[in-house]
Amino acid sequence: MTGLTDRQRDIIQVAIRIISRKGIQELTIRNLARDLGITEPAIYRHFQSKSDILAAMLEYLHRDTIAIFDQVQDGESALDRLRDYFSRLFERLRENPATAAVVFSDEAFMNDDRLAATVRALVELTIDNTTNLLTLARENGEIRADVDEYDLATMLAGGVRLLVRRWHMSGNGWDLAAQGRSVIETFVKLVEVPR
Amino acid sequence: MTGLTDRQRDIIQVAIRIISRKGIQELTIRNLARDLGITEPAIYRHFQSKSDILAAMLEYLHRDTIAIFDQVQDGESALDRLRDYFSRLFERLRENPATAAVVFSDEAFMNDDRLAATVRALVELTIDNTTNLLTLARENGEIRADVDEYDLATMLAGGVRLLVRRWHMSGNGWDLAAQGRSVIETFVKLVEVPR
Amino acid sequence: MTGLTDRQRDIIQVAIRIISRKGIQELTIRNLARDLGITEPAIYRHFQSKSDILAAMLEYLHRDTIAIFDQVQDGESALDRLRDYFSRLFERLRENPATAAVVFSDEAFMNDDRLAATVRALVELTIDNTTNLLTLARENGEIRADVDEYDLATMLAGGVRLLVRRWHMSGNGWDLAAQGRSVIETFVKLVEVPR
Amino acid sequence: MTGLTDRQRDIIQVAIRIISRKGIQELTIRNLARDLGITEPAIYRHFQSKSDILAAMLEYLHRDTIAIFDQVQDGESALDRLRDYFSRLFERLRENPATAAVVFSDEAFMNDDRLAATVRALVELTIDNTTNLLTLARENGEIRADVDEYDLATMLAGGVRLLVRRWHMSGNGWDLAAQGRSVIETFVKLVEVPR
DNA sequence: AATGAATGAGACTTCATTCAT
DNA sequence: CATGAATGAAGTCTCATTCAT
């Protein structure tokens, strides 16, 4: 399905963990090999280059984020689907906090055009998903029509991003989902059209 | 004034430019020396270590951000001061787009405790400033009192952050101030109490 | 046995040779690599740091010195064993003159606590061995009892040390064993109890 | 007399102190300048090179050692003069412990032929002085005639050297003069002809 | 698949020394 | 006499990657 072997998946998981715990500067082939319990050249059996590992890692996160969006139920109101979407994002982060770090390591990918494009797409994905749901909400008359949707998406996605960033920097020391829900509900309160 | 020599200021400016254009991974003593037109050891006359260069750079940005907040006029309404504050931030970024990059390179500072703390403080500073102005706005009755201020600050600061980030990633290809004003006004429209 | 790979032994041997010929200041990773016919990074496959190379070298010499002492026969008189011990030390130095230099490079190890302790132990080892044999000799009634053993050990070990040092500084230009025997016999003549 | 300016003497004193406290590896122009409270280029007003500083330092110590020997009284017996000579050496070391370190940094001078020769001469000087006094003592019938004087000188000078070395390595933690006297007296007891 | 050994490039940093002022 | 600024050489060490086995 994903075109990845078991070993490749191992490598990606360990890479994500290293980035999460020590930062992307510590993601070296040496450290990767050590944590995997194999030698450095062995890694090159599974990926042609370090850049390929990072690309596969980003692609994996991309797919995962798409999958989360796809899981969001159809039947609900657009605002409920928005709530559902972010709940699932928070859920994934709680289960696998390491993924958060990768998204904030984007600067590290600047040198490699392919990686830069991929991580950019990853960031845009959440914004696009958010924008689409907001557009739907407006069409449904669930939210006020006198404000720019794109600005709303920027604030919501940006706010959540900032929240996750601080949660990560705090060492995941508090309940992201609770804080996240609070932000989402505040947002809804601001934009919702009273029925 | 800032306790920096001319040459130290040169070095910091060039460092910021390198980070902006190529990313922090390219900020090496070698590249720094090359862009300054001197040899690598010469840099060590002006800073004891690379870490000291980064620390001075962050401190400079910190001071600058504080100065911007201090310039915000007293007499206006809290919301106007909020507008003023972000306008000035956008203005600085337009004049010196390089500074944007540094704030998003935070991951790169993780390994150095001193730097990590400084960059964290830099991020918190904008959030704190925003929160304080929002608190004032509520006390003045300018904004609705039925929503959590901290959530509002998260959305506003996070939204602006995301906007700046995308502007930087796009190669500063569009008018940040205009887009930024739009986000701010949308935010104001959401929270403002009609008179 | 010693826990060292062949390549590690190579490196230690070359290191000892460099110290012997050019002094410890010339023992750089670069010179080591050049003499080994490999590149500098290759050395780090075999030792984690330069300090580790020096530590392994000192440990090797320590073991070697212990082994020499252990080879000294049991059956003889204490004075004969003393003669035997120093003969073997001189023999080793003739076979591997490089080892002499290391013992006189102690100052160079001052900055590294671990190395300083190891080289100090190496120096003390010969003094201790000498003292122990002298104590035995007195208990056997082989030497006069009216003089301080520790002073005797200091003179004997110090005299031999000085001799070796001068032999090394002269470029090993004369017969160390012969001169050494002369010193030992002079010492014995001074302390021996006539039968 | 010595052909040194005041400033040159300052530099030499500070150099000796650095060698004593931190080892010769720490004797850099930078550290020298810092401890002197001047800049690095300023040192080159007073000495043409670092090697010249070391040469002047060794020459100073050489002169000093000669002066000590010259102070030894003429009227006494040769053995008393020997006692006197070493007492004065110990006295100098107590007053200026730093000088001890220099003599044991000889390995560091290996690369520079001029320095190597100077430090070699310094070591030989004490041995020669000792040998000369022992020769005199034998001519006076003060010591036994059946042992090689040169071997005796080796043991005495070597023993004292080892003592000083250990005193230095212990951080000058005990009374060198007392221990030294003990060694000297033990030596005298061994070689003295009873009257 | 995996390993041991190696490599070229480059990282940060220190060294003794020079030169214009 | 002294300084500020700089330099060429060299230091230890890490990086991603390759290759023969």
Side-chain angles (χ1 to χ4, degrees), chain D residues 46-67:
Chain D
H46 306 284
F47 287 103
Q48 287 205 5
S49 69
K50 183 181 174 182
S51 175
D52 281 3
I53 298 175
L54 290 167
M57 182 184 72
L58 290 174
E59 198 190 345
Y60 161 81
L61 291 175
H62 202 174
R63 273 177 213 270
D64 208 36
T65 306
I66 289 174

Side-chain angles (χ1 to χ4, degrees), chain D residues 68-80:
Chain D
I68 285 173
F69 190 69
D70 289 347
Q71 283 167 17
V72 172
Q73 309 293 329
D74 275 337
E76 314 165 53
S77 73
L79 282 178
D80 278 346

Side-chain angles (χ1 to χ4, degrees), chain C residues 64-133:
Chain C
D64 209 35
T65 305
I66 289 173
I68 286 173
F69 189 68
D70 288 346
Q71 284 166 17
V72 172
Q73 309 294 326
D74 273 338
E76 315 164 53
S77 74
L79 283 179
D80 278 345
R81 287 171 67 187
L82 204 62
R83 289 184 174 99
D84 193 14
Y85 176 51
F86 282 105
S87 287
R88 288 173 190 274
L89 283 179
F90 295 142
E91 188 60 26
R92 175 181 61 165
L93 285 168
R94 194 182 56 192
E95 285 173 5
N96 196 354
T99 55
V102 176
V103 182
F104 297 109
S105 300
D106 42 0
E107 204 273 345
F109 302 120
M110 265 185 71
N111 288 357
D112 188 319
D113 284 347
R114 178 182 49 150
L115 298 181
T118 308
V119 77
R120 191 147 45 215
L122 193 51
V123 171
E124 299 295 332
L125 184 60
T126 296
I127 304 177
D128 286 351
N129 287 343
T130 305
T131 306
N132 289 339
L133 286 174

Side-chain angles (χ1 to χ4, degrees), chain B residues 38-73:
Chain B
I38 57 177
T39 60
E40 300 173 46
I43 290 180
Y44 287 86
R45 281 273 144 202
H46 306 285
F47 287 103
Q48 287 204 11
S49 68
K50 183 181 175 182
S51 176
D52 280 4
I53 297 176
L54 290 168
M57 183 185 72
L58 290 175
E59 199 190 347
Y60 162 81
L61 292 175
H62 203 172
R63 273 178 213 269
D64 210 36
T65 305
I66 289 174
I68 285 173
F69 189 69
D70 289 346
Q71 282 166 17
V72 173
Q73 308 294 328

